[in-house]
């Protein structure tokens, strides 16, 4: 036993330091205890075990605090640390409370938007904030571009042309990732790919499948990632003029100059059914999430909504010329363009257009015999008030209904137009000839893909609204 005694004045206390471990009966923690014998005095003085010198006089309050800290057991320390940890968690959670509330509001808003989108009643008011900026040009096709499509993640563009080739582009870099060359006429048996003008193209919403249709009545299915050829669908008796994957599925709708609509299941490599109704060659087709599609009937001047499950169709009339292009804005509204130069907005609840702009892109020709520029393509930013149309020439025009139209001023035929899913850019496929024929050729035009960035202000949380 270690013991140290120091002679002190009567006003001091004697402090004995006992080593519990040496005594053998200390607590399991193996720590030292301090015993203090008090003598009546105004102050008690503590003597260090390491020094024979006297320590400064310590007030009772401070001494008590130091003793308590020294006397803390492992259990007490764990409890104290636990309380500190809980306090930290509480503080962090309080800081996150506002963020969590904000995220909850975002989730609720997203769910509400999805419900409105399914009902076809979602509309984002963004057109007034959109402005076109610097344009990039991608060149790779030798002949006029006829069709293009953007993947749902906005990373890639697939384009096709009258040279029978297909190119996959990287949007950010503008580089070619894959090229599927076209073949010459008569090489169908040995060439893997198209050997006739490609008229239409579509990609599934998950990017797994790419579908293309040509003048040879063929539909070809490709792997979206590698552009590897997978299947060939036959059955149409005329050129395939329209293709669209149903959103969120691998069901494919096709339209043809043979006046029929066909339904395919790409996963099963299977034909499903054929729908009839149009009286002339079908020139365009589109679809969204519902089990239905819309078509433009060319010279029969009709627009049709095909309800696949109900095996029924709705017929709409309004244009005076051949309806050459069609695009859904949401499940309830669509836009069409015709060779009479008009652009029309439709609702599935009305048989006539909600609004029509005639000579939307102006006229050309000598005085007295002017002819309107054909509207060769239309596009819509889904669930918004923004659409676009393209022709062989462009002039300013008034807004259509509640929509703002952007016109791409470029020498040549604007054969295809697509908005990116995010609305951050638009892509135009331009050629020297119209995609459906060779009625005339604009020699000074250059075949190319034009990427048009669309700058807009930050989204307003109140921008989504219900349309009736």
């Amino acid at each position: 036993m270690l013991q140290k005694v120091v002679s002190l004045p009567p006003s001091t206390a004697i402090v004995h330091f006992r080593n519990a471990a040496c005594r053998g009966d200390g607590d399991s923690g193996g720590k030292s205890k301090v015993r203090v014998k008090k003598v009546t005095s105004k102050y008690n003085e503590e003597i260090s075990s390491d020094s024979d010198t006297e320590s400064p006089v310590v007030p009772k309050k401070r001494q008590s605090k130091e003793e308590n800290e020294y006397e803390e057991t492992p259990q007490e320390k764990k409890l104290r640390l636990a309380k500190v940890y809980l306090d930290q968690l509480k503080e962090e959670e309080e800081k996150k409370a506002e963020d969590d509330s904000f995220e909850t509001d975002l989730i609720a808003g997203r769910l509400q938007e999805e419900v409105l989108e399914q009902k076809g009643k979602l509309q984002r008011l963004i057109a007034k904030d959109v402005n076109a900026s610097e344009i990039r040009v991608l060149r790779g096709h030798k002949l006029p571009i006829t069709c293009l499509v953007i993947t749902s993640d906005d990373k890639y563009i697939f384009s096709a042309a009258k040279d029978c080739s297909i190119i996959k582009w990287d949007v950010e870099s503008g580089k070619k990732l894959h090229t599927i060359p076209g073949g010459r006429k008569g090489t169908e048996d040995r060439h893997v790919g198209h050997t006739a003008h490609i008229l239409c193209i579509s990609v599934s919403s998950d990017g797994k499948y790419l579908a293309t249709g040509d003048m040879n009545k063929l539909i070809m299915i490709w792997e979206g990632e590698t552009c590897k050829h997978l299947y060939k669908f036959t059955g149409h008796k005329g050129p395939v003029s329209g293709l669209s994957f149903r959103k969120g599925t691998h069901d494919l709708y096709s339209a043809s100059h043979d006046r029929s609509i066909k339904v395919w299941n790409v996963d099963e490599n299977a034909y499903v059914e054929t729908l009839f109704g149009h009286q002339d060659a079908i020139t365009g087709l589109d679809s969204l999430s519902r089990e239905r599609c819309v078509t433009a009937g060319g010279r029969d001047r009709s627009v049709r909504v095909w309800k696949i499950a109900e095996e029924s169709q709705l017929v709409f009339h309004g244009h005076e010329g051949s309806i050459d292009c069609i695009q859904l804005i949401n499940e309830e509204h669509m836009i069409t363009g015709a060779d009479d130069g008009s652009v029309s907005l439709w609702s599935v609840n009305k048989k006539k257009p909600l609004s029509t702009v005639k000579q939307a892109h102006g006229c050309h020709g000598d005085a007295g015999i002017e002819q309107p520029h054909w509207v060769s393509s239309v596009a819509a930013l889904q669930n918004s008030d923004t659409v676009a149309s393209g022709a062989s020439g462009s002039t300013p025009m008034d807004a259509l209904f509640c929509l703002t139209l952007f016109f791409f001023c470029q020498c040549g035929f604007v054969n295809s137009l697509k908005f990116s899913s995010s609305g951050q850019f638009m892509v135009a496929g331009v050629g020297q000839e119209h995609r459906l024929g060779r009625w005339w050729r604009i020699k000074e035009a250059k075949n190319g893909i034009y990427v048009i960035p669309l700058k807009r202000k930050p989204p307003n949380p109140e921008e989504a609204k219900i349309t009736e």
Side-chain angles (χ1 to χ4, degrees):
M1 178 175 66
L2 178 63
Q3 187 177 40
K4 191 168 188 177
V5 180
V6 181
S7 298
L8 297 172
S11 61
T12 62
I14 297 175
V15 181
H16 297 276
F17 291 85
R18 301 178 183 273
N19 190 319
C22 294
R23 195 179 66 183
D25 57 353
D27 62 26
S28 59
K31 64 178 181 57
S32 299
K33 290 188 177 180
V34 180
R35 283 190 178 183
V36 180
K37 290 185 179 180
K38 293 186 179 179
V39 179
T40 304
S41 174
K42 187 174 180 180
Y43 297 104
N44 290 328
E45 188 173 319
E46 181 179 303
I47 303 300
S48 170
S49 62
D50 299 323
S51 175
D52 292 338
T53 60
E54 295 183 2
S55 298
V57 176
V58 182
K60 289 184 178 180
K61 187 175 181 180
R62 180 179 171 187
Q63 181 184 8
S64 175
K65 181 178 179 182
E66 291 177 356
E67 288 180 4
N68 289 339
E69 290 178 354
Y70 190 78
E71 291 284 345
E72 185 179 45
T73 65
Q75 291 78 7
E76 291 172 339
K77 184 177 181 180
K78 289 180 181 178
L79 181 61
R80 178 173 59 81
L81 294 177
K83 288 181 178 179
V84 172
Y85 179 66
L86 290 175
D87 289 340
Q88 290 176 347
L89 288 180
K90 183 179 179 181
E91 186 177 343
E92 291 176 2
E93 289 302 316
E94 287 175 352
K95 289 181 180 179
K96 290 181 180 178
E98 291 185 5
D99 295 337
D100 290 342
S101 177
F102 180 67
E103 289 178 3
T104 301
D105 291 340
L106 285 179
I107 294 171
R110 179 66 181 273
L111 292 174
Q112 183 182 18
E113 285 190 5
E114 288 183 357
V115 171
L116 293 177
E117 183 177 353
Q118 289 294 329
K119 292 181 178 179
K121 295 184 178 181
L122 176 65
Q123 184 184 94
R124 297 185 180 91
L125 306 179
I126 62 174
K128 64 182 184 299
D129 299 327
V130 177
N131 292 300
S133 56
E134 186 177 350
I135 298 173
R136 290 186 296 151
V137 183
L138 310 179
R139 301 196 190 280
H141 294 285
K142 297 178 181 178
L143 294 178
I145 286 81
T146 55
C147 52
L148 55 81
V149 67
I150 308 171
T151 56
S152 59
D153 58 9
D154 294 349
K155 291 183 178 180
Y156 310 107
I157 298 169
F158 291 95
S159 62
K162 287 188 176 183
D163 60 11
C164 313
S165 68
I166 303 167
I167 299 177
K168 181 180 181 180
W169 308 84
D170 180 82
V171 172
E172 186 175 358
S173 66
K175 295 181 179 179
K176 298 178 189 176
L177 299 179
H178 296 283
T179 299
I180 304 172
R184 293 183 179 181
K185 186 177 180 180
T187 63
E188 293 84 0
D189 293 337
R190 57 183 181 275
H191 177 73
V192 179
H194 292 281
T195 57
H197 297 173
I198 301 171
L199 299 180
C200 50
I201 191 169
S202 181
V203 65
S204 59
S205 53
D206 62 358
K208 184 177 181 180
Y209 296 117
L210 176 74
T212 51
D214 67 13
M215 292 286 289
N216 272 354
K217 315 169 191 176
L218 298 177
I219 298 171
M220 293 196 178
I221 307 298
W222 313 83
E223 189 177 82
E225 180 66 26
T226 63
C227 291
K228 175 185 176 183
H229 183 261
L230 298 177
Y231 315 124
K232 182 187 294 184
F233 291 160
T234 60
H236 279 297
K237 298 179 181 179
V240 181
S241 54
L243 287 170
S244 180
F245 278 97
R246 181 185 169 197
K247 190 176 179 180
T249 75
H250 294 148
D251 294 336
L252 177 68
Y253 303 124
S254 65
S256 170
H257 288 184
D258 65 9
R259 300 177 290 178
S260 72
I261 306 292
K262 290 186 183 294
V263 184
W264 313 83
N265 186 313
V266 178
D267 279 331
E268 302 295 331
N269 187 20
Y271 158 78
V272 180
E273 62 179 316
T274 301
L275 309 171
F276 295 97
H278 278 291
Q279 303 303 309
D280 194 48
I282 301 173
T283 54
L285 177 147
D286 194 25
S287 68
L288 290 177
S289 299
R290 290 183 183 174
E291 196 173 354
R292 60 171 60 178
C293 63
V294 297
T295 54
R299 290 291 169 187
D300 74 3
R301 302 178 184 179
S302 73
V303 172
R304 297 181 186 241
V305 177
W306 303 82
K307 298 182 178 181
I308 310 298
E310 295 90 337
E311 297 183 352
S312 63
Q313 57 185 284
L314 303 176
V315 185
F316 306 83
H317 294 278
H319 285 285
E320 296 176 359
S322 173
I323 307 174
D324 291 340
C325 46
I326 186 169
Q327 184 84 42
L328 281 164
I329 301 171
N330 53 36
E331 298 286 4
E332 300 287 328
H333 298 88
M334 53 197 162
I335 186 170
T336 56
D339 68 359
D340 61 5
S342 63
V343 177
S344 293
L345 173 70
W346 306 78
S347 167
V348 297
N349 299 316
K350 294 183 181 294
K351 294 292 185 179
K352 296 292 183 179
L354 296 176
S355 182
T356 297
V357 177
K358 296 184 178 181
Q359 298 180 5
H361 289 260
C363 297
H364 63 94
D366 297 330
I369 56 172
E370 299 96 338
Q371 293 293 321
H373 287 287
W374 293 3
V375 178
S376 53
S377 59
V378 292
L381 180 55
Q382 288 182 11
N383 303 310
S384 79
D385 62 342
T386 308
V387 302
S389 65
S392 58
S394 300
T395 56
M397 61 167 289
D398 295 329
L400 172 63
F401 191 50
C402 63
L403 308 178
T404 298
L405 284 82
F406 292 95
F407 294 106
F408 176 61
C409 299
Q410 172 65 30
C411 179
F413 287 91
V414 183
N415 286 324
S416 185
L417 277 173
K418 295 292 179 183
F419 280 99
S420 64
S421 299
S422 63
Q424 294 181 352
F425 64 93
M426 180 172 65
V427 181
V430 179
Q432 295 177 328
E433 302 169 346
H434 192 283
R435 71 183 183 95
L436 295 176
R438 288 178 166 172
W439 297 284
W440 71 87
R441 190 166 182 256
I442 303 175
K443 293 182 179 180
E444 59 270 26
K446 294 185 178 180
N447 304 314
I449 297 164
Y450 294 75
V451 182
I452 310 164
L454 301 174
K455 295 182 179 179
R456 52 180 287 202
K457 298 176 183 178
N460 188 329
E462 301 296 329
E463 69 178 7
K465 75 170 189 177
I466 300 176
T467 60
E468 298 297 340

